[in-house]
Amino acid sequence: GQQVQQSPASLVLQEGENAELQCNFSTSLNSMQWFYQRPGGSLVSLFYNPSGTKHSGRLTSTTVIKERRSSLHISSSQTTDSGTYLCALERTSSGQKLVFGQGTILKVYL
Amino acid sequence: DPKIIQKPKYLVAVTGSEKILICEQYLGHNAMYWYRQSAKKPLEFMFSYSYQKLMDNQTASSRFQPQSSKKNHLDLQITALKPDDSATYFCASSQGQTETLYFGSGTRLTVL
């Protein structure tokens, strides 16, 4: 079965609303990374978060290993946040052989 | 300025031909990778290299051959191309094997 499940598959927000993206995993974890994929396809690293909570501007990532989940919170969304958000699991001692989820497609409108 | 350069951005090939996808990184990283993203599928790990040595290979086919002529280069040669090889191929790098991964902008390959 799929080792990394992301939800929701897609999300539509009005600008200013908050978003909570979920990533659940079914295997042991060395780290969790979150990426943003632009509509044109390029990928940007958002967080390298093996456990706990990290903040970056309007973004917050929380990884709870015991519960096998990680979340990405976007506050006060903007139209420029539109794109695909991917979580990727690095299994224990697999050396950057990341296993990606299917992604959450976010659309933010005015 | 992009720190990981992939060339070409778009590539069209005929079935049975051979192509080389170029990747150069200017981040000073010692580990490089190839990932593939096919339509409707998640990003999929293909290869990892560390200090120009192959560390992991998850591709089932020997038609995919990475080539590392310099520390900051990791090209991908694909032979006997098939339509199923159509995908966007992403090169990535990291400082160590357990650090943040940085991606290039990808090469979109279409095999007719």
Side-chain angles (χ1 to χ4, degrees), chain B:
Chain B
D1 286 339
K3 298 291 193 253
I4 301 180
I5 297 172
Q6 287 191 245
K7 293 185 282 191
K9 190 170 176 61
Y10 301 99
L11 189 55
V12 179
V14 295
T15 297
S17 66
E18 171 183 315
K19 292 293 180 187
I20 295 180
L21 282 55
I22 305 294
C23 177
E24 307 168 18
Q25 57 92 1
Y26 296 94
L27 293 163
H29 290 164
N30 51 45
M32 295 185 71
Y33 314 83
W34 279 100
Y35 281 79
R36 172 172 53 196
Q37 189 173 39
S38 306
K40 308 291 185 187
K41 286 186 181 179
L43 265 159
E44 177 187 24
F45 172 88
M46 298 179 73
F47 298 98
S48 64
Y49 267 65
S50 180
Y51 294 100
Q52 294 186 266
K53 290 187 179 172
L54 178 67
M55 301 302 291
D56 201 346
N57 175 0
Q58 289 294 304
T59 59
S61 172
S62 60
R63 296 186 299 108
F64 296 86
Q65 289 291 331
Q67 300 170 345
S68 182
S69 58
K70 297 183 198 176
K71 181 186 166 187
N72 67 328
H73 280 234
L74 186 63
D75 300 336
L76 180 63
Q77 179 186 42
I78 314 174
T79 58
L81 278 160
K82 303 177 181 181
D84 276 354
D85 297 331
S86 297
T88 300
Y89 291 81
F90 288 97
C91 175
S93 71
S94 64
Q95 178 54 30
Q97 286 216 290
T98 55
E99 299 294 330
T100 302
L101 203 59
Y102 294 88
F103 282 85
S105 56
T107 291
R108 185 178 294 182
L109 172 66
T110 303
V111 183
L112 304 173

